[in-house]
Every structure is written in structure tokens, then in C-alpha cells.
Amino acid sequence: MTTLKNWLLIGFGAGFILLMLGWSILFHYKGAEIPKTVMTNGDDGFAAAPFSPSSQIPFGTDRDGYHMFYKVLDGAVYTLGAAIAISVVAFLLAFLVGVLMGFWKPAVRRYSDKVLMGFYFIPQSIIAYNVLYPLLWETEDGFTTTLNERIIWTILVLAFIMLPTTAILISNETKEILGKEFIAGARVLGGSRFFLFWKHVLPHLKGRLFILFPKLVIQALLIIAHLGFFTIYFGGTDVCYDLYGCDPPKPFIQEWASIMGTNYSEIYNAWWIFMTPMLFFSLAIIALTATTKGLEGLLDPSVKPQKKKAVSSHHQASSSVTPESFQRVGKEVSS
Amino acid sequence: MNVLKRFAWMLEPVLIIAGILLVSAGSGLFQTQSLSFSSYGQTFLDMWGDLSHPFDLVYTITQTERPLFPIILLALWSSMRILFLAISISLGASLILLIIYTVSGRIVKNAIKSVAAVLESVPDIFVIATLQLFIIWFFKKTGILLGDVASLDPNEIIFLPAVTLSVLPTFFFLGLMISFVKEEEDLPYVELARSKGLTKYRILFIHMIRNILVSLTYHGKQIVWMMLSNLLILEYLYNVFGVTSFLFTYNTPAIFAITSILLFLPIYGVLKAMQFTVKHRIGKEMSL
């Protein structure tokens, strides 16, 4: 029963992410043309964009008449793709560093942990803002970097920002496993460090790492979203320095955080322009959380045996004596 | 050696502050639009130069320079008020929800659990946006303004941001508390109390809640981490005058370092105080 529930959670979570990614890739493959409705002249008379959500246009249109749903679909591949890319890099680096740190001597760890602890007291998005501002904010002379360079640097920087906290987490797990009795046994028998890692630490660590990954993707998504609100858009912010009046800063890539960041003020007027990407963003995060919960339920060894124990003791109690006499007392106690 | 031991407790905050300083110079990394460690080093050194005389630091606002020091404490005060008010609100609200949870039947229990699981994972910006949208909608429908959605006057709005900030921790706390209650229920002292005939509520309120609150303190670092990043975006979107202004608008490495350290110290103090109390009253060692 619980296994089925967990699989359902994973299926829903991973399914939603893969569906959005796949559909978005297909959409780009087909040319990424966003449908546009600028004006209508229907029964209610003449109307112009932005249209609010209706049965014809489920998520409404933006001020230029582009359908919001397709805009979101267009951006899905960038936002989700970037978040996954960032987490993969952060995950691999943190795995290397974390396991190494787990094997370090306690004396060294005491200092390294404390220095890295600073990362818990400064929000990651502000660190990212600080580091990425010179890279992503267009100067008056324009960019010296290409779009692809900026994207790669952004992914790397965000991965490095997520590295310390993740590495501390993995190193703590490693340390915990290394503190177990069977490790002492393996050490006494002459197991080398690599042997310990490969044969004993990794099998125990594997399950926890599975749980960690979707959490990292959530973190990356949140950092990208925060940056979008601070008008540092993924892939660069197009700033206009024209003397004769300017548009506000624009993103180069229409990904979710950028759409949200540029349209936050719409919440007071045409709220759907902001809330549609927000809705899909939140759904993505809920989907990832569901995946995490499902994986936790499947992999957590502490859940199953406890339940079995409780059930078996209950059976023993009920089978050894007549049910009636015990039920009454049991009811009194539990209520 | 004895002297060294006496100052050992200072090592931790000093090392953390060193970490914060290293991060503060991060804006130098891409100064030239490409990765350069020499410009990072230069920024770091410049920052030290500025930090050597902190009370002469200035921030620039529309090309006039103003002294940083009294004003930043005001900003800090406003941010801290929001933060600690939010923590109190979320603790209170989650306790009330916990009581409702224990009192109610299985269907309500499952409902609370699943709502908590969803709300706990919703991103902070969604909460802020939905709340603002709701207030505007409510105002349009009824003409009653539940709270100001954006502040114009610096010291104006505290309560609404605090309520917004408290939403996520409330459900985070609730989720933790529910699992702690489950753990505690199997412990011998609860069984003893039951066998002595104490009521469910007496056991919960007098005996279990204390232990649950202690267990919550173990997650202190994680809660702070979550709330600080929410506070940041919250102040930005509600236009509250708080430390965020100094992290964004008037941002230089030295100001960034000072703001972060000022933000860190009171929180660290509270965490340490909790650690001390837990250790003295219960004897359990709690690491940060």
C-alpha cells in the first residue's frame, strides 16, 4: 500500500517535469511559434489584448497578445533544463568534495565546516546576485560575452554556490556511515580507504543521494526565480541606455523566472500574466517535492521495520488472550 | 593552553565570519565579465581597507554620500522585528494546528497532513504573490483593506510581511511536530503516563510539547536558512526598508560584509542561547 503510494508520488512528480520538458523540446523543434490574439470582435463586442483566462484561451494572453500557456511552454526547457544542469554539476562536485570531507580528520573538519557555515547565514540568492551582477547586467558598451558563454558561467556559478551546503550534508552522511560498527570491523581487517568507500560507504550513501537530487533541483529553481525578481535574468539582462526614453530591462531568453520578474507589477492589473508562469513554477516545485517524498518513503529503511514490529506485537497480543477482554482496556488507554 | 581553551567558544563565530567575508568579496569574481581571481583578490583587499574604519563607511544615494552607521542599525531592527515576529507567529500557529490535528479524527488528520505537505513545498514568491493578490481582490470586493501591500513610509508595515514570512515555517514546523509526536508516543514515559491514567491532552500539553519544542531547536540552522532567503525577497517585494536595501541598492563589498555580519550575529546569539538552555536543562548536546 505504502509502496504503491510512493510510486504514485514519484510517477506524478517525475512525470510532470518530464512532460513539461518533453513538450517544450517538441515545441521548440516545431519552430516555437507562440499563437497570438491581438484583437477579437465577438459577442461581447470589441476587445483587445491582454485577454483574461477564458475557455478559448485557457491562461490568457500578455499585453502583446501572445498566449501565456505557450510562453510558459517555450520557457520550460530553459528553466527546468538550467535547474537540472545546475543540480547535476553541483551534485557531482558536492559528491566528490563531501565524500572526501567525510574521510577527513576531525581536526581539519572542525575548521572547514565552520568556514563553510557562513553559507547558511547569507541567502544563496544574494550571493548569486552579487557574483553574477557584473556578468549578466548589460553595461553601456554591451556584453563582451556571448549568450552561450553567459549561460555556461551562470550554471557553473550557481552550482558552486550550492556546493558548500550540499557538500556539508554529504560529508555528514559519510561521517555517520563511517562511524558505524561494521566500518571499524572492516578497518581492523585491513580495508583501505578506497575499499571502505566503495564497498561500505557508497551502498549506504546511494539511497540518500537519490533523495538529495530533486531537492537540489528545487534549490536551483528558487535561486533562478529570486534572481529573476532582482532583474538579473538567466542568460543576461538586456539594459537599454538610450537617451530618448527606454523600455525597462528585458531578458534575452523567455524563461519562467524572467517572465515573472518582468511582469510582477502586472499582479495589480492583468494578474494572469504573472500568475501563469508562477503557477507552473510552483507546480514544478511541488512535483519535485512529491518525487522526494516518494523516494524517501521507498528508500528509508527506518520506516518499514518499525511498522512490521508494531503489527506483529499487536497480533501476538490479540491472539494470546480472548479478544474481548483486551479490547476494552485497549480502547480506554488509547482514547 | 588554558587561555586558548577559554577563548575556544569564540573560534566558531570568528570562522563563520571569515567565511562571510570570503563570500562578500564575491562580486569581484566577474568584475571584468570573465572569471578572474586577481580581481577577486583585489576586491577582497579593498574590502579590508574599507572595513578597517567601519564607522567612516558611506553609502551613496542619488549621488550624495551618507554615513552608514546609525541608519543600518535601524534597517537591521526592522528586519529583525519581522523575522522574530514571523518565528513567533509560526510557532504559535503550528502549535494550534498541532492541537487541532491531535484532537480531530482520521479524515481531518489526513487532510491537514496533505495540505501541510503541499503548502510546505510551495515557493515563497508564490505565497507572497498570492497573498498580495488576495488582499487586492478582497479590497475590490468588499472595500476593506486588510493590510498595505507595499510600504511607502519606512516604518509602516511589519505585520503583513511577518504573516507572509510565517506561512512556510508554520507548515514546516507542523510537519516536524507531527512526526515528533509519532516518535514520542512510543517512548516509555508516555506509556507510563498513560498507564497512570493521565488524559491524552495532559500528556500532550504538559509532557510531550516540551520535548517536541526541544527537538525543533535541532533544526534551527535549517529554519534560519530558509527564512533568511524568504525575508530577502519579501522585503524586496513589499518594499520594506530593511537590510535588503543595503544588500542590493547600496551594495559594495564592505557594506555587504557588514550587513551580513550584523544579520548573522543576533541570529547566532539566539541559536547559541537555545543550545545552552537545551544543554543545561536536558543535558543533550546540540550542534549548530
Side-chain angles (χ1 to χ4, degrees):
Chain A
M1 183 57 204
T2 39
T3 344
L4 181 70
K5 202 183 107 199
N6 289 326
W7 277 113
L8 275 177
L9 278 175
I10 297 175
F12 157 71
F16 178 79
I17 300 292
L18 289 178
L19 175 77
M20 284 313 285
L21 260 181
W23 197 352
S24 180
I25 290 171
L26 196 71
F27 181 67
H28 274 264
Y29 181 72
K30 289 266 162 102
E33 268 179 57
I34 302 172
K36 198 172 171 182
T37 314
V38 184
M39 282 182 269
T40 54
N41 204 348
D43 305 334
D44 316 328
F46 183 77
F51 293 105
S52 56
S54 61
S55 53
Q56 284 93 32
I57 312 168
F59 291 96
T61 73
D62 68 1
R63 295 206 168 268
D64 297 325
Y66 290 110
H67 290 205
M68 281 320 292
F69 177 74
Y70 289 95
K71 273 187 90 167
V72 166
L73 197 60
D74 180 44
V77 69
Y78 300 118
T79 312
L80 296 175
I84 291 172
I86 292 164
S87 343
V88 167
V89 177
F91 182 77
L92 292 176
L93 285 172
F95 177 66
L96 278 177
V97 176
V99 169
L100 277 177
M101 274 171 71
F103 276 92
W104 275 352
K105 294 207 164 61
V108 185
R109 282 210 42 168
R110 229 175 57 208
Y111 298 107
S112 65
D113 272 15
K114 295 284 152 25
V115 173
L116 293 181
M117 195 93 88
F119 276 86
Y120 278 97
F121 291 96
I122 316 178
Q124 287 174 321
S125 33
I126 183 77
I127 306 176
Y129 175 85
N130 246 356
V131 176
L132 289 174
Y133 184 85
L135 182 72
L136 294 181
W137 189 262
E138 193 175 17
T139 58
E140 230 160 315
D141 309 325
F143 283 114
T144 56
T145 46
T146 64
L147 180 63
N148 283 338
E149 276 172 9
R150 283 198 298 276
I151 290 179
I152 290 168
W153 277 122
T154 312
I155 289 174
L156 285 179
V157 166
L158 292 185
F160 268 94
I161 287 170
M162 279 160 52
L163 174 65
T165 44
T166 319
I168 288 183
L169 205 77
I170 295 181
S171 80
N172 284 342
E173 304 269 1
T174 312
K175 207 178 69 181
E176 200 195 309
I177 297 168
L178 282 177
K180 295 223 161 112
E181 278 171 22
F182 60 84
I183 296 285
R187 278 214 171 111
V188 169
L189 290 172
S192 69
R193 279 185 177 188
F194 180 75
F195 178 84
L196 284 181
F197 165 70
W198 194 250
K199 282 282 173 192
H200 295 296
V201 175
L202 194 59
H204 282 88
L205 203 59
K206 234 188 311 184
R208 316 237 175 128
L209 292 181
F210 268 119
I211 299 170
L212 187 65
F213 187 72
K215 283 187 180 168
L216 279 181
V217 181
I218 295 177
Q219 246 185 65
L221 275 174
L222 283 177
I223 297 178
I224 297 178
H226 283 181
L227 283 179
F229 278 89
F230 305 145
T231 61
I232 297 295
Y233 304 126
F234 188 80
T237 307
D238 186 4
V239 190
C240 149
Y241 290 96
D242 206 344
L243 286 174
Y244 313 101
C246 262
D247 289 335
K250 285 197 301 272
F252 284 103
I253 304 175
Q254 289 291 338
E255 52 88 29
W256 294 352
S258 313
I259 306 177
M260 289 191 279
T262 40
N263 291 316
Y264 188 71
S265 56
E266 295 288 5
I267 199 171
Y268 302 112
N269 313 306
W271 54 269
W272 58 91
I273 301 179
F274 173 79
M275 284 314 268
T276 306
M278 185 81 251
L279 177 74
F280 279 89
F281 182 81
S282 309
L283 277 178
I285 285 182
I286 290 172
L288 286 162
T289 318
T291 317
T292 321
K293 288 254 159 76
L295 285 172
E296 262 170 2
L298 278 184
L299 295 166
D300 191 4
S302 67
V303 179
K304 272 185 191 164
Q306 259 185 3
K307 279 215 166 137
K308 262 186 197 160
K309 221 197 244 166
V311 168
S312 64
S313 66
H314 179 72
H315 271 286
Q316 269 173 6
S318 60
S319 61
S320 55
V321 197
T322 50
E324 292 87 31
S325 59
F326 261 87
Q327 238 169 6
R328 206 189 60 206
V329 179
K331 260 184 191 166
E332 240 176 32
V333 169
S334 69
S335 63
Chain B
M1 198 58 213
N2 236 344
V3 180
L4 267 180
K5 253 192 186 156
R6 192 175 291 168
F7 287 102
W9 64 272
M10 280 190 57
L11 186 70
E12 191 176 71
V14 165
L15 282 176
I16 294 176
I17 287 174
I20 291 179
L21 289 177
L22 284 173
V23 172
S24 301
S27 62
L29 271 176
F30 284 92
Q31 205 71 76
T32 51
Q33 288 199 33
S34 56
L35 185 66
S36 133
F37 287 105
S38 67
S39 80
Y40 173 78
Q42 191 55 48
T43 314
F44 192 71
L45 291 178
D46 289 348
M47 186 183 77
W48 273 110
D50 286 342
L51 283 180
S52 59
H53 48 88
F55 294 101
D56 299 337
L57 275 176
V58 288
Y59 69 97
T60 321
I61 175 169
T62 54
Q63 277 157 7
T64 38
E65 292 185 335
R66 291 159 196 237
L68 178 69
F69 243 91
I71 193 86
I72 195 174
L73 295 178
L74 202 71
L76 185 74
W77 168 236
S78 137
S79 294
M80 284 294 134
R81 252 188 324 182
I82 294 179
L83 187 70
F84 284 105
L85 188 62
I87 292 181
S88 332
I89 292 175
S90 55
L91 267 180
S94 55
L95 277 177
I96 291 171
L97 281 172
L98 181 72
I99 291 165
I100 295 173
Y101 177 83
T102 29
V103 171
S104 51
R106 184 185 286 190
I107 299 168
V108 182
K109 264 185 188 171
N110 279 339
I112 292 180
K113 243 184 177 171
S114 28
V115 168
V118 171
L119 283 184
E120 188 196 339
S121 58
V122 149
D124 44 4
I125 27 187
F126 184 79
V127 177
I128 299 172
T130 324
L131 213 74
Q132 291 197 345
L133 199 61
F134 172 75
I135 286 170
I136 292 161
W137 174 83
F138 197 78
F139 179 65
K140 277 181 181 165
K141 287 274 168 216
T142 62
I144 303 165
L145 195 57
L146 292 172
D148 284 322
V149 285
S151 104
L152 297 169
D153 182 41
N155 286 316
E156 203 177 335
I157 56 168
I158 294 292
F159 192 65
L160 192 63
V163 169
T164 319
L165 187 60
S166 67
V167 170
L168 294 177
T170 300
F171 291 99
F172 181 73
F173 284 145
L174 184 68
L176 282 177
M177 281 177 177
I178 288 174
S179 64
F180 288 145
V181 166
K182 234 187 220 161
E183 273 172 35
E184 294 277 320
E185 265 173 354
D186 294 338
L187 291 183
Y189 81 93
V190 178
E191 275 176 24
L192 176 70
R194 261 192 209 155
S195 64
K196 283 177 76 177
L198 299 185
T199 62
K200 191 171 148 189
Y201 303 106
R202 200 186 154 86
I203 298 173
L204 178 71
F205 294 137
I206 315 247
H207 300 284
M208 277 161 78
I209 277 184
R210 273 195 233 174
N211 290 344
I212 289 166
L213 286 180
V214 169
S215 307
L216 273 188
T217 57
Y218 287 96
H219 292 260
K221 190 174 62 175
Q222 206 187 343
I223 291 162
V224 164
W225 190 33
M226 181 172 83
M227 288 187 81
L228 271 186
S229 73
N230 290 1
L231 179 73
L232 193 77
I233 190 95
L234 190 92
E235 286 187 356
Y236 190 84
L237 291 182
Y238 275 110
N239 202 15
V240 177
F241 177 74
V243 283
T244 321
S245 322
F246 290 93
L247 293 179
F248 284 110
T249 325
Y250 319 126
N251 184 358
T252 68
I255 291 180
F256 186 90
I258 286 188
T259 317
S260 312
I261 291 169
L262 283 178
L263 199 57
F264 155 73
L265 284 176
I267 296 169
Y268 183 76
V270 170
L271 283 177
K272 273 284 149 185
M274 281 189 335
Q275 190 179 358
F276 188 77
T277 335
V278 166
K279 200 180 161 189
H280 264 245
R281 300 211 45 162
I282 298 154
K284 273 190 207 165
E285 191 78 47
M286 174 188 135
S287 74
L288 194 63

